[in-house]
Amino acid sequence: MRRWDVLANIIKDNDLKVGAEIGVNQGVNMAMVLRFCPDFFWYGIDDWRAGYLGWDEAKRRDNKRKAAGVQRRRPDNTKLIVMDSLSAAKTFQDQSLDLVFIDADHSYEGVKADIHAWAPKVRQGGILAGHDYDQPDFPGVKKAVDEFCNPNIEAEWVWWTRY
């Protein structure tokens, strides 16, 4: 089971309608979730900054181009926001999203900041989730998540909690 399968099940099981993915990379997760949940609306937030995870400028541009392709194919279901996650969070009203999926800066400080910036954007009864929980390469993810909640753990290092 892949992370998009987990998210699609969460979306369907909870009748979720709109969400934001924090850290889009190439847009694969967004595209696959929409394949299984065609009526779901995804905001994709990423600044595709050079230097992140060793990206050079060419890799940054390529990832952004691929994610933009998802938006071109699914214009009624996606909106890409080219902005760092904390700035983007300020543009959303509190309790305006059914789902937030955090998969951006994997450092402890980055995950903690994203959780605190984005959790208020999740409506009561919605889902705050993320990727790479307990993934050995990113120990800061587990630490930050555990400080915030007692998460449900799914396949492929997906964590989630009802907000």
Side-chain angles (χ1 to χ4, degrees):
M1 183 174 274
R2 301 298 305 261
R3 69 182 170 274
W4 45 79
D5 297 312
V6 173
L7 286 173
N9 289 338
I10 290 171
I11 290 165
K12 290 175 186 177
D13 291 349
N14 293 281
D15 195 30
L16 306 180
K17 303 295 183 199
V18 62
E21 181 173 15
I22 317 308
V24 175
N25 197 349
Q26 297 179 5
V28 173
N29 190 58
M30 185 167 57
M32 294 303 291
V33 167
L34 291 173
R35 182 176 175 191
F36 299 116
C37 303
D39 296 327
F40 192 73
F41 188 92
W42 259 135
Y43 289 97
I45 291 91
D46 207 316
D47 61 2
W48 289 278
R49 68 185 183 275
Y52 177 68
L53 294 179
W55 293 358
D56 60 13
E57 187 62 25
K59 177 75 168 176
R60 182 190 74 81
R61 280 193 313 270
D62 187 51
N63 287 355
K64 185 177 177 183
R65 180 186 56 76
K66 288 176 181 175
V70 175
Q71 183 173 307
R72 278 192 304 279
R73 288 187 302 279
R74 302 300 300 258
D76 296 334
N77 296 77
T78 59
K79 181 176 181 179
L80 290 180
I81 299 171
V82 182
M83 190 180 294
D84 72 87
S85 65
L86 302 183
S87 297
K90 294 175 185 174
T91 69
F92 285 80
Q93 291 184 348
D94 287 355
Q95 298 188 32
S96 63
L97 299 169
D98 294 323
L99 169 70
V100 169
F101 184 70
I102 297 172
D103 193 18
D105 182 339
H106 286 54
S107 70
Y108 165 75
E109 295 81 7
V111 175
K112 183 175 180 176
D114 280 340
I115 288 172
H116 287 282
W118 286 97
K121 309 309 172 185
V122 179
R123 70 165 172 80
Q124 186 175 8
I127 304 292
L128 180 66
H131 192 226
D132 292 316
Y133 182 91
D134 213 16
Q135 208 276 4
D137 293 335
F138 306 113
V141 173
K142 182 180 186 313
K143 181 178 178 188
V145 171
D146 287 348
E147 287 177 2
F148 181 75
C149 66
N150 183 17
N152 297 287
I153 309 303
E154 303 288 346
E156 201 184 54
W157 303 298
V158 173
W159 63 269
W160 66 274
T161 189
R162 187 168 311 281
Y163 197 74

